[in-house]
């Protein structure tokens, strides 16, 4: 304020009073503006509060969506794993069935092979047995004076070797003389009277019978004592 104005104000009390009032109004305006800038009104506070709630709701919505997505992904993975597990079980069951079928086929083939081998062996043995019978008849017909000869001893050795080879393949003669008649092993062709054996006992063996393992290759041809 210039010196002239101050002088005029001092000379005029009314003007000085008006200037003071003006300064006070300016200070009030300045204070009011600060308060307006520093404090928010009720409407602004409500607006700010609503904005905060919207942001919280938005964040909660985003979190819920992420959880649903994760749960859906997990469920999909579990379904895929269950499908794979079911497929594996199906393949394992199929493999087990095929292995069981193969094992049954192997056993059946082995059984058929054994049966065919035994049938073939029986056929060969049946053809050899008449040769054995002829050896026994020939040895039995050798005179007593010739039994010590080289020819007789050679025939005896060949016969023993033949019987030994038959025993190795489980071909055995059927016991007959003095045994009780058994239709599973013996074939009775005649009945005789005997003082040495009781009824139903084999008194004579007309032809030897043989077994191969557990089956009969040829039944013994026998004479059984009759009941007196």
């Amino acid at each position: 304020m210039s010196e002239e104005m101050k002088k005029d104000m001092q000379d005029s009390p009314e003007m000085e009073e008006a200037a003071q009032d003006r300064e006070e109004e300016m200070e009030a305006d300045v204070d009011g503006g600060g308060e307006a800038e520093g404090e928010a009104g009720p409407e602004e506070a409500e607006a700010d509060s609503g904005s905060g709630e919207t942001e919280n709701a938005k964040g909660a919505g985003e979190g819920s969506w992420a959880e649903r997505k994760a749960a859906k992904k997990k469920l999909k993975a579990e379904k895929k794993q269950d499908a794979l597990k079911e497929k594996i079980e199906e393949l394992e069951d199929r493999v087990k069935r095929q292995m069981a079928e193969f094992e049954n086929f192997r056993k059946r083939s082995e059984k058929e092979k054994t049966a065919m081998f035994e049938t073939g062996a029986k056929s060969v043995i049946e053809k050899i047995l008449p040769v054995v019978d002829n050896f026994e008849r020939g040895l039995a017909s050798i005179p007593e004076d010739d039994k010590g000869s080289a020819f007789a001893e050679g025939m005896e050795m060949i016969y023993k070797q033949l019987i030994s080879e038959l025993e190795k393949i489980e071909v055995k003669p059927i016991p007959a003389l003095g045994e009780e008649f058994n239709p599973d092993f013996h074939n009775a062709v005649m009945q005789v009277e005997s003082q040495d054996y009781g009824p139903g006992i084999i008194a004579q063996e007309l032809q030897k019978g043989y077994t191969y393992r557990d089956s009969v290759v040829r039944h013994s041809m026998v004479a059984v004592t009759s009941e007196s």
Side-chain angles (χ1 to χ4, degrees):
M1 183 180 296
S2 63
E3 295 292 331
E4 293 180 356
M5 290 180 67
K6 289 181 179 181
K7 186 177 181 181
D8 293 338
M9 289 175 62
Q10 290 176 357
D11 295 338
S12 178
E14 295 177 357
M15 291 180 66
E16 185 179 2
E17 202 174 343
Q20 290 179 355
D21 294 338
R22 180 61 179 168
E23 289 179 359
E24 289 177 0
E25 288 178 1
M26 291 177 66
E27 291 178 359
D29 292 339
V30 171
D31 293 338
E35 291 177 359
E37 291 177 359
E39 296 180 0
E43 294 180 357
E44 293 180 355
E46 291 178 359
D48 292 341
S49 177
S51 176
E53 291 178 356
T54 303
E55 291 180 356
N56 292 335
K58 184 177 179 181
E62 291 179 352
S64 178
W65 178 82
E67 290 176 357
R68 289 197 303 270
K69 185 177 180 181
K72 187 176 181 181
K73 187 175 181 181
K74 183 179 180 182
L75 181 62
K76 186 177 180 181
E78 289 177 353
K79 287 183 178 180
K80 186 176 181 180
Q81 187 175 2
D82 292 340
L84 290 174
K85 185 177 180 181
E86 184 178 355
K87 187 67 176 178
I88 291 171
E89 290 177 354
E90 181 182 351
L91 292 174
E92 286 180 350
D93 182 67
R94 187 182 300 177
V95 170
K96 288 179 181 179
R97 288 177 180 272
Q98 289 179 351
M99 289 180 66
E101 290 177 0
F102 176 76
E103 184 66 18
N104 292 334
F105 171 76
R106 188 188 66 79
K107 289 180 180 180
R108 185 169 60 252
S109 299
E110 189 70 21
K111 187 176 181 181
E112 291 175 355
K113 181 180 178 181
T114 302
M116 291 176 63
F117 178 80
E118 290 184 356
T119 301
K122 283 182 180 180
S123 178
V124 174
I125 293 167
E126 287 175 355
K127 293 177 181 179
I128 293 175
L129 291 180
V131 179
V132 176
D133 295 338
N134 290 332
F135 260 106
E136 290 176 349
R137 293 189 187 100
L139 293 173
S141 63
I142 295 175
E144 289 293 332
D145 296 339
D146 296 334
K147 285 186 178 181
S149 64
F151 175 77
E153 290 179 356
M155 292 290 290
E156 184 73 23
M157 291 176 63
I158 295 171
Y159 171 74
K160 289 181 179 180
Q161 184 180 5
L162 180 59
I163 296 298
S164 176
E165 293 300 325
L166 290 173
E167 288 178 352
K168 287 179 181 179
I169 61 173
E170 300 183 48
V171 177
K172 299 177 182 179
I174 298 174
L177 189 63
E179 298 289 332
E180 185 177 359
F181 175 75
N182 186 345
D184 294 333
F185 298 100
H186 308 127
N187 181 21
V189 295
M190 58 185 299
Q191 287 185 339
V192 294
E193 294 181 358
S194 175
Q195 296 179 353
D196 298 329
Y197 302 105
I201 303 300
I202 297 172
Q204 296 179 13
E205 184 181 44
L206 306 177
Q207 187 182 53
K208 278 186 179 181
Y210 291 88
T211 58
Y212 171 62
R213 296 183 176 177
D214 295 330
S215 59
V216 176
V217 179
R218 187 177 73 181
H219 289 77
S220 297
M221 189 179 297
V222 297
V224 183
T225 57
S226 60
E227 297 181 1
S228 56

